[in-house]
Amino acid sequence: VAKRSPWFDPILLLMAFAYFLFGCGTSSTNVALPSLLLAEPSFGLRSGPEVARTIGLTQVPYGVMLTAMQTVGYIRLTKSSVSDQACITVSGLLLGLSTALFSLSTERHHLFLLYTLNGGAMGLFFGAYLNLPNAYVATVYPEAIAQARSVPFPFYHLGNFLGPLMLPLLGERFFRTGWLVAGGLQWLSVALILVIASRLAEATRA
């Protein structure tokens, strides 16, 4: 049982860094980037209210798929002996891919299809990822479980805050290139999470 603070635990800090990257890559994909993307003439939207309404509608399939996959989908997969690592790998690849493909969208139905895929991948990803540190935290920090589980979350919120602020640094067409960067950051965070999963398993066995 560890006596050091969980805030100095290298595995939890690596997880916090992955959360930060994920926050940076995800923070702009539901409002900022689609708002600017939908302003392009190819989408046929003539006013701000039409843009806002379309964005709101895209969040319906996104939210439904996220909720369904984070609960029912994830539970059924784990009952079928699919590992958390497998869920993270597949959902992470689909998440980064669907996010990057937004950069090529030119019509409204493209956004609905991509948000549906994006929401399903996000739900499965979080269903698996949020359970990853449970055994490690219970084994190493039995007296500070809540504190240890809370370590990564401030870094996720920091990424959410900084992500949109960094978008303009990508140049005049950041409303297109921003999707590629967001997808890349999501893939990078998934790669780190898979490394973390391996280290968590080793530390728990030890």
Side-chain angles (χ1 to χ4, degrees):
V1 175
K3 294 184 179 180
R4 66 178 183 276
S5 168
W7 288 95
F8 296 98
D9 186 301
I11 296 179
L12 294 180
L13 289 176
L14 185 61
M15 184 177 289
F17 182 58
Y19 261 76
F20 172 75
L21 292 177
F22 195 81
C24 286
T26 306
S27 56
S28 302
T29 59
N30 289 332
V31 179
L33 284 173
S35 298
L36 295 167
L37 185 63
L38 285 169
E40 290 203 309
S42 65
F43 290 97
L45 302 175
R46 296 184 296 275
S47 66
E50 285 186 333
V51 170
R53 190 180 305 113
T54 301
I55 292 173
L57 289 173
T58 62
Q59 297 309 294
V60 174
Y62 175 84
V64 169
M65 288 298 296
L66 189 153
T67 303
M69 288 304 298
Q70 188 169 354
T71 53
V72 178
Y74 172 67
I75 291 171
R76 288 193 174 183
L77 286 171
T78 52
K79 283 184 176 178
S80 301
S81 301
V82 178
S83 68
D84 283 342
Q85 287 89 335
C87 290
I88 289 170
T89 302
V90 173
S91 63
L93 289 173
L94 289 175
L95 182 62
L97 177 62
S98 59
T99 298
L101 285 175
F102 276 97
S103 65
L104 302 177
S105 60
T106 56
E107 297 182 28
R108 275 173 277 184
H109 70 270
H110 296 162
L111 298 186
F112 282 95
L113 288 172
L114 288 171
Y115 269 121
T116 300
L117 177 58
N118 203 264
M122 184 76 78
L124 180 58
F125 175 81
F126 271 118
Y129 181 40
L130 292 177
N131 285 321
L132 266 185
N134 289 352
Y136 175 77
V137 167
T139 301
V140 180
Y141 298 102
E143 307 279 331
I145 291 176
Q147 184 183 4
R149 284 188 57 82
S150 71
V151 169
F153 287 98
F155 295 88
Y156 174 73
H157 296 308
L158 180 62
N160 275 330
F161 169 72
L162 291 178
L165 296 179
M166 295 187 291
L167 278 178
L169 300 178
L170 300 176
E172 292 183 1
R173 292 185 59 79
F174 68 84
F175 57 89
R176 289 281 182 186
T177 57
W179 295 102
L180 297 173
V181 173
L185 286 173
Q186 288 170 344
W187 275 334
L188 181 58
S189 66
V190 168
L192 277 175
I193 288 165
L194 291 173
V195 172
I196 292 165
S198 175
R199 295 188 63 179
L200 286 172
E202 291 175 3
T204 304
R205 285 196 298 269

